[in-house]
Amino acid sequence: MSLPFLPVEGFPWIQLTTPLAQDLDSLDEVHDHQTPREKLERYFQRMVSTCNESWRACTRNEVPNSWPYFAIRLVAPEGDGPGRLIGELGAGDWRFDYVQPEELRLRLTEENSARHAGDPEKVVMIGYTLHKDFRRQGIATACVNAMVSWMHSRMHVKRIVAACALENAASAGLLAKCGFQRGKEYETSMGRHDFGWMIHWDHFEESDGLH
């Protein structure tokens, strides 16, 4: 089975591809079995649908209306079918997490969500997760670079943002290597989940990963 894919520079045995329904168990391992199964299934079904829409638009040379979700996948030997999923990359509208007061944050979030794909004023946030056995090998850095390049060229995104925990030196190093500029430190929580102190990061198209 042949899947559409993005190559990952420096890692010929890794590809960014569409996710498949059969990847759910592998994704559960990537999340270290920390996400309730029912919640993980709902999330993954939504991501599979989103990614397929993005790829179909790209094959018609159109700007996708949905943000990409990529499976980080091992390249299987020819004839063996899709390789194992070892991570994920996703994107979505930025919610202006550190902006205060709350009324301003909500207004900016609503305005950003209302902008169509391809609008240079639209700000997109990315996230990534990699199986623990494949970390600290440069894989995540190369995958994020591939995704950022794809979003700038295919979706005409001018500004991409990310966030990591203040104490997460590995993720901070990854984002810096990918050309993100370190920004504001802020404290955040969402519902019952306290994420503590975070670091905001920005990547602008004109930077081209060089600082």
Side-chain angles (χ1 to χ4, degrees):
M1 179 181 180
S2 178
L3 294 174
F5 70 91
L6 288 178
V8 178
E9 186 175 356
F11 294 90
W13 46 279
I14 300 286
Q15 292 177 342
L16 302 184
T17 78
T18 55
L20 301 169
Q22 65 205 53
D23 291 328
L24 186 60
D25 288 339
S26 295
L27 184 64
D28 196 17
E29 290 185 16
V30 168
H31 285 243
D32 204 21
H33 309 290
Q34 296 299 306
T35 305
R37 184 72 175 198
E38 184 177 338
K39 181 179 179 180
L40 187 67
E41 288 177 357
R42 290 197 305 269
Y43 158 78
F44 194 59
Q45 288 171 1
R46 186 172 70 254
M47 294 301 101
V48 169
S49 174
T50 295
C51 185
N52 287 336
E53 291 174 10
S54 294
W55 280 113
R56 282 193 293 269
C58 286
T59 60
R60 299 190 295 266
N61 291 318
E62 300 172 355
V63 177
N65 288 320
S66 54
W67 297 119
Y69 172 87
F70 294 131
I72 304 174
R73 193 182 301 280
L74 298 176
V75 177
E78 189 174 353
D80 283 3
R84 172 188 167 196
L85 179 146
I86 61 167
E88 59 177 345
L89 286 165
D93 295 344
W94 185 34
R95 295 180 297 180
F96 295 82
D97 303 305
Y98 64 74
V99 173
Q100 293 294 332
E102 180 72 0
E103 293 79 6
L104 176 60
R105 187 189 72 79
L106 292 174
R107 179 173 63 79
L108 292 173
T109 299
E110 183 178 356
E111 291 174 354
N112 192 49
S113 297
R115 295 186 178 103
H116 61 81
D119 185 332
E121 296 300 316
K122 194 173 183 73
V123 186
V124 184
M125 186 171 195
I126 66 166
Y128 46 87
T129 309
L130 192 66
H131 192 286
K132 60 185 178 182
D133 291 347
F134 294 90
R135 295 172 188 166
R136 300 186 182 278
Q137 300 174 41
I139 296 171
T141 300
C143 289
V144 170
N145 270 329
M147 183 182 192
V148 165
S149 177
W150 187 89
M151 290 178 69
H152 282 319
S153 62
R154 281 286 193 169
M155 302 195 74
H156 311 303
V157 176
K158 302 296 183 184
R159 182 185 179 191
I160 300 172
V161 304
C164 69
L166 184 61
E167 68 274 12
N168 192 340
S171 192
L174 181 158
L175 292 168
K177 289 177 184 176
C178 291
F180 283 77
Q181 302 171 356
R182 182 169 176 150
K184 185 180 179 66
E185 296 177 5
Y186 62 100
E187 191 173 18
T188 185
S189 63
M190 187 180 300
R192 294 172 298 170
H193 304 286
D194 183 6
F195 293 104
W197 283 90
M198 307 288 288
I199 308 170
H200 174 85
W201 297 81
D202 276 299
H203 191 291
F204 297 94
E205 183 180 27
E206 60 268 26
S207 69
D208 198 28
L210 299 175
H211 299 286

PDB file of all heavy atoms in Angstrom, residues 51-78:
ATOM      1  N   CYS A  51      -6.468  14.973   8.088  1.00  0.00           N
ATOM      2  CA  CYS A  51      -5.282  14.779   7.262  1.00  0.00           C
ATOM      3  C   CYS A  51      -5.655  14.385   5.842  1.00  0.00           C
ATOM      4  O   CYS A  51      -5.071  14.878   4.873  1.00  0.00           O
ATOM      5  CB  CYS A  51      -4.385  13.713   7.878  1.00  0.00           C
ATOM      6  SG  CYS A  51      -2.815  13.510   7.003  1.00  0.00           S
ATOM      7  N   ASN A  52      -6.628  13.511   5.692  1.00  0.00           N
ATOM      8  CA  ASN A  52      -7.033  13.088   4.354  1.00  0.00           C
ATOM      9  C   ASN A  52      -7.556  14.273   3.536  1.00  0.00           C
ATOM     10  O   ASN A  52      -7.294  14.378   2.332  1.00  0.00           O
ATOM     11  CB  ASN A  52      -8.094  11.990   4.446  1.00  0.00           C
ATOM     12  CG  ASN A  52      -7.504  10.669   4.905  1.00  0.00           C
ATOM     13  OD1 ASN A  52      -6.304  10.427   4.746  1.00  0.00           O
ATOM     14  ND2 ASN A  52      -8.325   9.811   5.482  1.00  0.00           N
ATOM     15  N   GLU A  53      -8.283  15.171   4.184  1.00  0.00           N
ATOM     16  CA  GLU A  53      -8.774  16.368   3.496  1.00  0.00           C
ATOM     17  C   GLU A  53      -7.607  17.241   3.033  1.00  0.00           C
ATOM     18  O   GLU A  53      -7.616  17.777   1.920  1.00  0.00           O
ATOM     19  CB  GLU A  53      -9.696  17.160   4.420  1.00  0.00           C
ATOM     20  CG  GLU A  53     -11.028  16.481   4.712  1.00  0.00           C
ATOM     21  CD  GLU A  53     -11.834  17.249   5.752  1.00  0.00           C
ATOM     22  OE1 GLU A  53     -11.430  18.381   6.088  1.00  0.00           O
ATOM     23  OE2 GLU A  53     -12.847  16.711   6.224  1.00  0.00           O
ATOM     24  N   SER A  54      -6.588  17.392   3.878  1.00  0.00           N
ATOM     25  CA  SER A  54      -5.435  18.209   3.521  1.00  0.00           C
ATOM     26  C   SER A  54      -4.695  17.634   2.320  1.00  0.00           C
ATOM     27  O   SER A  54      -4.327  18.354   1.388  1.00  0.00           O
ATOM     28  CB  SER A  54      -4.472  18.319   4.714  1.00  0.00           C
ATOM     29  OG  SER A  54      -5.046  19.019   5.787  1.00  0.00           O
ATOM     30  N   TRP A  55      -4.476  16.324   2.324  1.00  0.00           N
ATOM     31  CA  TRP A  55      -3.747  15.702   1.221  1.00  0.00           C
ATOM     32  C   TRP A  55      -4.524  15.793  -0.085  1.00  0.00           C
ATOM     33  O   TRP A  55      -3.950  16.026  -1.140  1.00  0.00           O
ATOM     34  CB  TRP A  55      -3.453  14.237   1.541  1.00  0.00           C
ATOM     35  CG  TRP A  55      -2.277  14.038   2.443  1.00  0.00           C
ATOM     36  CD1 TRP A  55      -2.295  13.569   3.719  1.00  0.00           C
ATOM     37  CD2 TRP A  55      -0.906  14.312   2.150  1.00  0.00           C
ATOM     38  NE1 TRP A  55      -1.024  13.532   4.232  1.00  0.00           N
ATOM     39  CE2 TRP A  55      -0.152  13.973   3.287  1.00  0.00           C
ATOM     40  CE3 TRP A  55      -0.245  14.810   1.019  1.00  0.00           C
ATOM     41  CZ2 TRP A  55       1.229  14.122   3.336  1.00  0.00           C
ATOM     42  CZ3 TRP A  55       1.137  14.952   1.072  1.00  0.00           C
ATOM     43  CH2 TRP A  55       1.857  14.610   2.215  1.00  0.00           C
ATOM     44  N   ARG A  56      -5.839  15.604  -0.027  1.00  0.00           N
ATOM     45  CA  ARG A  56      -6.642  15.683  -1.251  1.00  0.00           C
ATOM     46  C   ARG A  56      -6.555  17.078  -1.865  1.00  0.00           C
ATOM     47  O   ARG A  56      -6.456  17.234  -3.086  1.00  0.00           O
ATOM     48  CB  ARG A  56      -8.108  15.315  -0.961  1.00  0.00           C
ATOM     49  CG  ARG A  56      -8.358  13.819  -0.842  1.00  0.00           C
ATOM     50  CD  ARG A  56      -9.848  13.515  -0.888  1.00  0.00           C
ATOM     51  NE  ARG A  56     -10.544  14.035   0.275  1.00  0.00           N
ATOM     52  CZ  ARG A  56     -10.734  13.353   1.397  1.00  0.00           C
ATOM     53  NH1 ARG A  56     -10.270  12.122   1.510  1.00  0.00           N
ATOM     54  NH2 ARG A  56     -11.398  13.897   2.413  1.00  0.00           N
ATOM     55  N   ALA A  57      -6.584  18.100  -1.016  1.00  0.00           N
ATOM     56  CA  ALA A  57      -6.473  19.469  -1.521  1.00  0.00           C
ATOM     57  C   ALA A  57      -5.111  19.685  -2.172  1.00  0.00           C
ATOM     58  O   ALA A  57      -5.004  20.316  -3.243  1.00  0.00           O
ATOM     59  CB  ALA A  57      -6.691  20.472  -0.393  1.00  0.00           C
ATOM     60  N   CYS A  58      -4.065  19.168  -1.544  1.00  0.00           N
ATOM     61  CA  CYS A  58      -2.722  19.364  -2.085  1.00  0.00           C
ATOM     62  C   CYS A  58      -2.541  18.682  -3.438  1.00  0.00           C
ATOM     63  O   CYS A  58      -1.840  19.194  -4.310  1.00  0.00           O
ATOM     64  CB  CYS A  58      -1.683  18.858  -1.096  1.00  0.00           C
ATOM     65  SG  CYS A  58      -1.469  19.936   0.336  1.00  0.00           S
ATOM     66  N   THR A  59      -3.158  17.542  -3.634  1.00  0.00           N
ATOM     67  CA  THR A  59      -3.040  16.862  -4.930  1.00  0.00           C
ATOM     68  C   THR A  59      -3.725  17.656  -6.036  1.00  0.00           C
ATOM     69  O   THR A  59      -3.428  17.451  -7.212  1.00  0.00           O
ATOM     70  CB  THR A  59      -3.654  15.446  -4.862  1.00  0.00           C
ATOM     71  OG1 THR A  59      -5.046  15.541  -4.517  1.00  0.00           O
ATOM     72  CG2 THR A  59      -2.936  14.583  -3.845  1.00  0.00           C
ATOM     73  N   ARG A  60      -4.626  18.573  -5.665  1.00  0.00           N
ATOM     74  CA  ARG A  60      -5.284  19.438  -6.651  1.00  0.00           C
ATOM     75  C   ARG A  60      -4.647  20.827  -6.684  1.00  0.00           C
ATOM     76  O   ARG A  60      -5.179  21.747  -7.278  1.00  0.00           O
ATOM     77  CB  ARG A  60      -6.776  19.579  -6.298  1.00  0.00           C
ATOM     78  CG  ARG A  60      -7.560  18.268  -6.298  1.00  0.00           C
ATOM     79  CD  ARG A  60      -9.059  18.539  -6.178  1.00  0.00           C
ATOM     80  NE  ARG A  60      -9.409  19.145  -4.909  1.00  0.00           N
ATOM     81  CZ  ARG A  60      -9.810  18.455  -3.827  1.00  0.00           C
ATOM     82  NH1 ARG A  60      -9.891  17.131  -3.885  1.00  0.00           N
ATOM     83  NH2 ARG A  60     -10.136  19.086  -2.707  1.00  0.00           N
ATOM     84  N   ASN A  61      -3.477  20.942  -6.026  1.00  0.00           N
ATOM     85  CA  ASN A  61      -2.770  22.227  -5.947  1.00  0.00           C
ATOM     86  C   ASN A  61      -3.635  23.324  -5.328  1.00  0.00           C
ATOM     87  O   ASN A  61      -3.568  24.488  -5.715  1.00  0.00           O
ATOM     88  CB  ASN A  61      -2.263  22.670  -7.319  1.00  0.00           C
ATOM     89  CG  ASN A  61      -1.136  21.796  -7.823  1.00  0.00           C
ATOM     90  OD1 ASN A  61      -0.252  21.430  -7.052  1.00  0.00           O
ATOM     91  ND2 ASN A  61      -1.168  21.457  -9.093  1.00  0.00           N
ATOM     92  N   GLU A  62      -4.455  22.943  -4.348  1.00  0.00           N
ATOM     93  CA  GLU A  62      -5.286  23.885  -3.619  1.00  0.00           C
ATOM     94  C   GLU A  62      -4.726  24.075  -2.211  1.00  0.00           C
ATOM     95  O   GLU A  62      -3.992  23.231  -1.696  1.00  0.00           O
ATOM     96  CB  GLU A  62      -6.729  23.369  -3.529  1.00  0.00           C
ATOM     97  CG  GLU A  62      -7.407  23.166  -4.878  1.00  0.00           C
ATOM     98  CD  GLU A  62      -8.759  22.485  -4.735  1.00  0.00           C
ATOM     99  OE1 GLU A  62      -9.109  22.098  -3.593  1.00  0.00           O
ATOM    100  OE2 GLU A  62      -9.444  22.331  -5.756  1.00  0.00           O
ATOM    101  N   VAL A  63      -5.079  25.203  -1.595  1.00  0.00           N
ATOM    102  CA  VAL A  63      -4.720  25.415  -0.196  1.00  0.00           C
ATOM    103  C   VAL A  63      -5.702  24.635   0.671  1.00  0.00           C
ATOM    104  O   VAL A  63      -6.912  24.847   0.584  1.00  0.00           O
ATOM    105  CB  VAL A  63      -4.776  26.911   0.179  1.00  0.00           C
ATOM    106  CG1 VAL A  63      -4.479  27.098   1.667  1.00  0.00           C
ATOM    107  CG2 VAL A  63      -3.784  27.705  -0.654  1.00  0.00           C
ATOM    108  N   PRO A  64      -5.232  23.701   1.495  1.00  0.00           N
ATOM    109  CA  PRO A  64      -6.154  22.920   2.331  1.00  0.00           C
ATOM    110  C   PRO A  64      -6.945  23.810   3.285  1.00  0.00           C
ATOM    111  O   PRO A  64      -6.443  24.817   3.774  1.00  0.00           O
ATOM    112  CB  PRO A  64      -5.214  21.987   3.107  1.00  0.00           C
ATOM    113  CG  PRO A  64      -3.958  21.945   2.309  1.00  0.00           C
ATOM    114  CD  PRO A  64      -3.831  23.294   1.671  1.00  0.00           C
ATOM    115  N   ASN A  65      -8.189  23.429   3.527  1.00  0.00           N
ATOM    116  CA  ASN A  65      -9.020  24.165   4.476  1.00  0.00           C
ATOM    117  C   ASN A  65      -8.866  23.647   5.899  1.00  0.00           C
ATOM    118  O   ASN A  65      -9.407  24.226   6.836  1.00  0.00           O
ATOM    119  CB  ASN A  65     -10.496  24.072   4.056  1.00  0.00           C
ATOM    120  CG  ASN A  65     -10.789  24.910   2.823  1.00  0.00           C
ATOM    121  OD1 ASN A  65     -10.283  26.009   2.695  1.00  0.00           O
ATOM    122  ND2 ASN A  65     -11.589  24.380   1.916  1.00  0.00           N
ATOM    123  N   SER A  66      -8.173  22.538   6.062  1.00  0.00           N
ATOM    124  CA  SER A  66      -7.960  21.970   7.394  1.00  0.00           C
ATOM    125  C   SER A  66      -6.456  21.853   7.640  1.00  0.00           C
ATOM    126  O   SER A  66      -5.679  21.640   6.707  1.00  0.00           O
ATOM    127  CB  SER A  66      -8.626  20.598   7.507  1.00  0.00           C
ATOM    128  OG  SER A  66      -8.182  19.731   6.467  1.00  0.00           O
ATOM    129  N   TRP A  67      -6.069  22.005   8.895  1.00  0.00           N
ATOM    130  CA  TRP A  67      -4.652  21.953   9.221  1.00  0.00           C
ATOM    131  C   TRP A  67      -4.145  20.532   9.165  1.00  0.00           C
ATOM    132  O   TRP A  67      -4.878  19.571   9.426  1.00  0.00           O
ATOM    133  CB  TRP A  67      -4.418  22.557  10.598  1.00  0.00           C
ATOM    134  CG  TRP A  67      -4.782  23.996  10.653  1.00  0.00           C
ATOM    135  CD1 TRP A  67      -5.726  24.575  11.436  1.00  0.00           C
ATOM    136  CD2 TRP A  67      -4.248  25.046   9.845  1.00  0.00           C
ATOM    137  NE1 TRP A  67      -5.807  25.920  11.187  1.00  0.00           N
ATOM    138  CE2 TRP A  67      -4.909  26.239  10.204  1.00  0.00           C
ATOM    139  CE3 TRP A  67      -3.269  25.093   8.851  1.00  0.00           C
ATOM    140  CZ2 TRP A  67      -4.625  27.461   9.627  1.00  0.00           C
ATOM    141  CZ3 TRP A  67      -2.979  26.312   8.265  1.00  0.00           C
ATOM    142  CH2 TRP A  67      -3.650  27.475   8.653  1.00  0.00           C
ATOM    143  N   PRO A  68      -2.867  20.351   8.848  1.00  0.00           N
ATOM    144  CA  PRO A  68      -2.338  18.997   8.655  1.00  0.00           C
ATOM    145  C   PRO A  68      -2.144  18.240   9.959  1.00  0.00           C
ATOM    146  O   PRO A  68      -1.931  18.828  11.022  1.00  0.00           O
ATOM    147  CB  PRO A  68      -0.993  19.248   7.976  1.00  0.00           C
ATOM    148  CG  PRO A  68      -0.589  20.604   8.466  1.00  0.00           C
ATOM    149  CD  PRO A  68      -1.861  21.388   8.581  1.00  0.00           C
ATOM    150  N   TYR A  69      -2.229  16.947   9.840  1.00  0.00           N
ATOM    151  CA  TYR A  69      -1.860  16.036  10.918  1.00  0.00           C
ATOM    152  C   TYR A  69      -1.046  14.932  10.252  1.00  0.00           C
ATOM    153  O   TYR A  69      -1.531  14.264   9.340  1.00  0.00           O
ATOM    154  CB  TYR A  69      -3.108  15.455  11.600  1.00  0.00           C
ATOM    155  CG  TYR A  69      -2.792  14.366  12.606  1.00  0.00           C
ATOM    156  CD1 TYR A  69      -2.489  14.673  13.926  1.00  0.00           C
ATOM    157  CD2 TYR A  69      -2.791  13.024  12.233  1.00  0.00           C
ATOM    158  CE1 TYR A  69      -2.197  13.687  14.847  1.00  0.00           C
ATOM    159  CE2 TYR A  69      -2.501  12.019  13.155  1.00  0.00           C
ATOM    160  CZ  TYR A  69      -2.198  12.356  14.453  1.00  0.00           C
ATOM    161  OH  TYR A  69      -1.909  11.376  15.360  1.00  0.00           O
ATOM    162  N   PHE A  70       0.194  14.785  10.654  1.00  0.00           N
ATOM    163  CA  PHE A  70       1.082  13.817  10.023  1.00  0.00           C
ATOM    164  C   PHE A  70       1.429  12.692  10.985  1.00  0.00           C
ATOM    165  O   PHE A  70       1.696  12.929  12.166  1.00  0.00           O
ATOM    166  CB  PHE A  70       2.392  14.484   9.582  1.00  0.00           C
ATOM    167  CG  PHE A  70       2.233  15.501   8.491  1.00  0.00           C
ATOM    168  CD1 PHE A  70       2.804  16.757   8.619  1.00  0.00           C
ATOM    169  CD2 PHE A  70       1.529  15.211   7.337  1.00  0.00           C
ATOM    170  CE1 PHE A  70       2.678  17.706   7.615  1.00  0.00           C
ATOM    171  CE2 PHE A  70       1.395  16.144   6.325  1.00  0.00           C
ATOM    172  CZ  PHE A  70       1.973  17.402   6.464  1.00  0.00           C
ATOM    173  N   ALA A  71       1.444  11.479  10.453  1.00  0.00           N
ATOM    174  CA  ALA A  71       2.003  10.348  11.176  1.00  0.00           C
ATOM    175  C   ALA A  71       3.500  10.311  10.885  1.00  0.00           C
ATOM    176  O   ALA A  71       3.922  10.405   9.738  1.00  0.00           O
ATOM    177  CB  ALA A  71       1.352   9.044  10.715  1.00  0.00           C
ATOM    178  N   ILE A  72       4.316  10.198  11.931  1.00  0.00           N
ATOM    179  CA  ILE A  72       5.753   9.971  11.760  1.00  0.00           C
ATOM    180  C   ILE A  72       5.914   8.453  11.682  1.00  0.00           C
ATOM    181  O   ILE A  72       5.612   7.737  12.638  1.00  0.00           O
ATOM    182  CB  ILE A  72       6.560  10.546  12.933  1.00  0.00           C
ATOM    183  CG1 ILE A  72       6.261  12.038  13.102  1.00  0.00           C
ATOM    184  CG2 ILE A  72       8.057  10.308  12.728  1.00  0.00           C
ATOM    185  CD1 ILE A  72       6.901  12.663  14.338  1.00  0.00           C
ATOM    186  N   ARG A  73       6.382   7.985  10.536  1.00  0.00           N
ATOM    187  CA  ARG A  73       6.307   6.539  10.266  1.00  0.00           C
ATOM    188  C   ARG A  73       7.653   5.986   9.799  1.00  0.00           C
ATOM    189  O   ARG A  73       8.390   6.633   9.037  1.00  0.00           O
ATOM    190  CB  ARG A  73       5.253   6.301   9.176  1.00  0.00           C
ATOM    191  CG  ARG A  73       4.840   4.852   9.001  1.00  0.00           C
ATOM    192  CD  ARG A  73       3.829   4.712   7.851  1.00  0.00           C
ATOM    193  NE  ARG A  73       2.624   5.484   8.046  1.00  0.00           N
ATOM    194  CZ  ARG A  73       1.610   5.103   8.821  1.00  0.00           C
ATOM    195  NH1 ARG A  73       1.672   3.959   9.471  1.00  0.00           N
ATOM    196  NH2 ARG A  73       0.532   5.853   8.929  1.00  0.00           N
ATOM    197  N   LEU A  74       7.978   4.800  10.273  1.00  0.00           N
ATOM    198  CA  LEU A  74       9.130   4.080   9.755  1.00  0.00           C
ATOM    199  C   LEU A  74       8.833   3.617   8.332  1.00  0.00           C
ATOM    200  O   LEU A  74       7.704   3.256   8.013  1.00  0.00           O
ATOM    201  CB  LEU A  74       9.448   2.864  10.631  1.00  0.00           C
ATOM    202  CG  LEU A  74       9.823   3.131  12.096  1.00  0.00           C
ATOM    203  CD1 LEU A  74       9.997   1.805  12.837  1.00  0.00           C
ATOM    204  CD2 LEU A  74      11.096   3.961  12.193  1.00  0.00           C
ATOM    205  N   VAL A  75       9.833   3.640   7.477  1.00  0.00           N
ATOM    206  CA  VAL A  75       9.678   3.143   6.114  1.00  0.00           C
ATOM    207  C   VAL A  75       9.821   1.630   6.140  1.00  0.00           C
ATOM    208  O   VAL A  75      10.850   1.097   6.560  1.00  0.00           O
ATOM    209  CB  VAL A  75      10.726   3.766   5.167  1.00  0.00           C
ATOM    210  CG1 VAL A  75      10.598   3.172   3.762  1.00  0.00           C
ATOM    211  CG2 VAL A  75      10.568   5.285   5.121  1.00  0.00           C
ATOM    212  N   ALA A  76       8.779   0.934   5.706  1.00  0.00           N
ATOM    213  CA  ALA A  76       8.788  -0.537   5.708  1.00  0.00           C
ATOM    214  C   ALA A  76       9.440  -1.049   4.430  1.00  0.00           C
ATOM    215  O   ALA A  76       9.459  -0.358   3.401  1.00  0.00           O
ATOM    216  CB  ALA A  76       7.358  -1.064   5.807  1.00  0.00           C
ATOM    217  N   PRO A  77       9.981  -2.255   4.463  1.00  0.00           N
ATOM    218  CA  PRO A  77      10.506  -2.859   3.236  1.00  0.00           C
ATOM    219  C   PRO A  77       9.425  -2.927   2.163  1.00  0.00           C
ATOM    220  O   PRO A  77       8.239  -3.078   2.475  1.00  0.00           O
ATOM    221  CB  PRO A  77      10.930  -4.262   3.688  1.00  0.00           C
ATOM    222  CG  PRO A  77      11.174  -4.135   5.161  1.00  0.00           C
ATOM    223  CD  PRO A  77      10.174  -3.116   5.635  1.00  0.00           C
ATOM    224  N   GLU A  78       9.816  -2.799   0.914  1.00  0.00           N
ATOM    225  CA  GLU A  78       8.852  -2.805  -0.181  1.00  0.00           C
ATOM    226  C   GLU A  78       8.000  -4.070  -0.153  1.00  0.00           C
ATOM    227  O   GLU A  78       8.505  -5.178  -0.017  1.00  0.00           O
ATOM    228  CB  GLU A  78       9.592  -2.714  -1.521  1.00  0.00           C
ATOM    229  CG  GLU A  78       8.676  -2.506  -2.707  1.00  0.00           C
ATOM    230  CD  GLU A  78       9.438  -2.265  -3.991  1.00  0.00           C
ATOM    231  OE1 GLU A  78      10.671  -2.123  -3.927  1.00  0.00           O
ATOM    232  OE2 GLU A  78       8.787  -2.210  -5.051  1.00  0.00           O
TER     233      GLU A  78
END
